[in-house]
Amino acid sequence: QNTTRAMLMTILAKLDGQDVTGGATWYEKAMTWAKTNGVSDGTMPEVNITREQLAVMLYRYAQYKGCDVSVGEDTNILSYTDVAQVAEYAIPAFQWAVGAGIINGTTASTLSPKGSATRGQVAAILHRYCEWIG
């Protein structure tokens, strides 16, 4: 199954120690938290999250937490054959996530930035992210 934007907002809010219970929707408090802290713009919460949106939300969450995301500044993602599909706004996030070892390609030569992130991929990426932040 795929992961929605609301699911990731909720996971990150809980990781930040937020109480996300209550609200008009199951994700309302998490979405408000994500928007308030610059993690997400809160749009399309019930839509499947793409791999590039996942990278961006994790990158912004790392910045919000005060983590050093400079590891990606020198990461070359040009070796991936689908790098031209990465939206311009997501390039620094993908560089950081790949450079930090948080996100791997879906194959040795593809990032699949526009592909939906499955729950399995998100679980593995979040595991690596949690190890990275120590």
Side-chain angles (χ1 to χ4, degrees):
Q1 289 187 346
N2 292 322
T3 305
T4 65
R5 293 170 53 89
M7 288 174 186
L8 186 63
M9 285 185 257
T10 302
I11 291 166
L12 295 178
K14 286 182 174 184
L15 187 61
D16 195 45
Q18 302 300 309
D19 177 8
V20 295
T21 57
T25 62
W26 64 267
Y27 55 81
E28 180 181 20
K29 286 187 176 181
M31 184 173 65
T32 299
W33 168 87
K35 288 169 45 177
T36 300
N37 293 294
V39 174
S40 173
D41 63 6
T43 58
M44 302 181 297
E46 296 182 21
V47 172
N48 291 338
I49 193 166
T50 65
R51 288 173 51 83
E52 74 182 1
Q53 292 166 349
L54 171 62
V56 169
M57 286 177 66
L58 287 176
Y59 181 72
R60 290 177 180 167
Y61 180 68
Q63 290 176 315
Y64 158 74
K65 295 301 284 183
C67 297
D68 180 7
V69 294
S70 64
V71 67
E73 292 172 1
D74 297 324
T75 301
N76 183 358
I77 58 173
L78 295 176
S79 62
Y80 292 96
T81 58
D82 58 355
V83 71
Q85 295 174 21
V86 177
E88 188 173 335
Y89 77 92
I91 291 173
F94 254 123
Q95 288 176 308
W96 162 75
V98 171
I102 295 168
I103 292 181
N104 300 322
T106 50
T107 70
S109 62
T110 57
L111 288 170
S112 304
K114 305 295 187 207
S116 295
T118 66
R119 288 183 182 188
Q121 289 172 343
V122 171
I125 290 166
L126 286 171
H127 178 77
R128 290 189 293 266
Y129 176 80
C130 289
E131 286 181 337
W132 178 77
I133 61 171

